[in-house]
Amino acid sequence: LVVRNHFNSAQGTKKLSVADNGDISFYDSSGSSQNLFWDSSTSRLGLGSTSPTANLEIQGTSVEVDLDNSSGKRYRISSNTDSTFKIEDKSSSATRLTINADGSSVFSGAVSATTLNVGATAQTVGSASSPAFTLGDTDTGFYRDGYNRVQISAAGQEVAKFDSSGNVNIPNGGLMVGATTAPDSIVHIQ
């Protein structure tokens, strides 16, 4: 079955076709590209794809899906031409999560979880000059160079190391307790 936009079936632009096997194609305004395709043999829907590999596959240069709930909240999930993946709260005009092409992520708002694992399968995660969890710039944050240790870096240099025994190592500088000015010795207690 082929549906065209003309009463004569040999003329007009193809709009819809249903194949004998049950596949259904909806065409663009020119009648040449299948913008929506139902593959009946796999029960998969393709938007911009005629061979969907998932239950729903959406292809395009910039793909956006809006999710609206009954209370008026709208979220958008998008994959953009700059290779970023985003989850946006369109009701508040705020981007909540961005995953960049290099795998780095940016969260907006509070992040809470029972367990948050950053690179949980690797023994070494990040470094002093490129910490796994950054705090405002790319060379200040938290990382680990082995199991059961956590390090803090600032300006690309390790400033503190904590191990599972409760030991704290401050390799360069001193420890201040109760002081507001730089220490004049390795340990300064005021």
Side-chain angles (χ1 to χ4, degrees), residues 53 78 104 115 120 145 148:
T53 58
S78 62
S104 62
T115 304
D145 67 0
N148 302 317

Side-chain angles (χ1 to χ4, degrees), residues 23-25 34-59:
D23 289 355
I24 302 171
S25 298
Q34 300 170 355
N35 285 340
L36 188 144
F37 176 76
W38 173 255
D39 185 337
S40 64
S41 66
T42 61
S43 297
R44 293 177 176 168
L45 181 63
L47 300 173
S49 170
T50 57
S51 55
T53 58
N55 291 340
L56 173 62
E57 181 174 333
I58 304 172
Q59 288 187 3

Side-chain angles (χ1 to χ4, degrees), residues 125 127-144 150-160 162:
V125 181
S127 64
S129 61
S130 182
F133 184 77
T134 59
L135 304 170
D137 58 43
T138 60
D139 62 358
T140 300
F142 297 92
Y143 69 99
R144 73 175 188 190
V150 174
Q151 284 97 320
I152 300 174
S153 67
Q157 301 295 314
E158 180 181 292
V159 294
F162 304 84

Side-chain angles (χ1 to χ4, degrees), residues 2-183:
V2 175
V3 176
R4 298 179 184 272
N5 67 347
H6 195 275
F7 65 89
N8 182 339
S9 63
Q11 296 177 347
T13 305
K14 189 186 304 184
K15 296 297 180 183
L16 166 73
S17 81
V18 179
D20 291 338
N21 66 358
D23 289 355
I24 302 171
S25 298
F26 291 86
Y27 291 84
D28 66 2
S29 60
S30 70
S32 60
S33 295
Q34 300 170 355
N35 285 340
L36 188 144
F37 176 76
W38 173 255
D39 185 337
S40 64
S41 66
T42 61
S43 297
R44 293 177 176 168
L45 181 63
L47 300 173
S49 170
T50 57
S51 55
T53 58
N55 291 340
L56 173 62
E57 181 174 333
I58 304 172
Q59 288 187 3
T61 54
S62 185
V63 176
E64 299 175 338
V65 176
D66 282 1
L67 307 169
D68 298 320
N69 66 23
S70 60
S71 65
K73 199 75 162 152
R74 171 180 272 176
Y75 290 96
R76 175 171 290 162
I77 300 170
S78 62
S79 176
N80 300 302
T81 55
D82 62 357
S83 300
T84 60
F85 173 81
K86 292 183 181 181
I87 298 176
E88 300 170 89
D89 179 348
K90 299 307 281 183
S91 305
S92 302
S93 300
T95 300
R96 299 298 183 199
L97 168 67
T98 301
I99 302 175
N100 298 307
D102 65 2
S104 62
S105 302
V106 178
F107 296 90
S108 173
V111 177
S112 62
T114 304
T115 304
L116 177 62
N117 292 320
V118 178
T121 59
Q123 180 176 347
T124 302
V125 181
S127 64
S129 61
S130 182
F133 184 77
T134 59
L135 304 170
D137 58 43
T138 60
D139 62 358
T140 300
F142 297 92
Y143 69 99
R144 73 175 188 190
D145 67 0
Y147 291 119
N148 302 317
R149 291 190 296 258
V150 174
Q151 284 97 320
I152 300 174
S153 67
Q157 301 295 314
E158 180 181 292
V159 294
K161 180 186 291 189
F162 304 84
D163 69 19
S164 60
S165 300
N167 297 320
V168 177
N169 179 18
I170 301 174
N172 302 308
L175 174 65
M176 296 187 310
V177 179
T180 57
T181 58

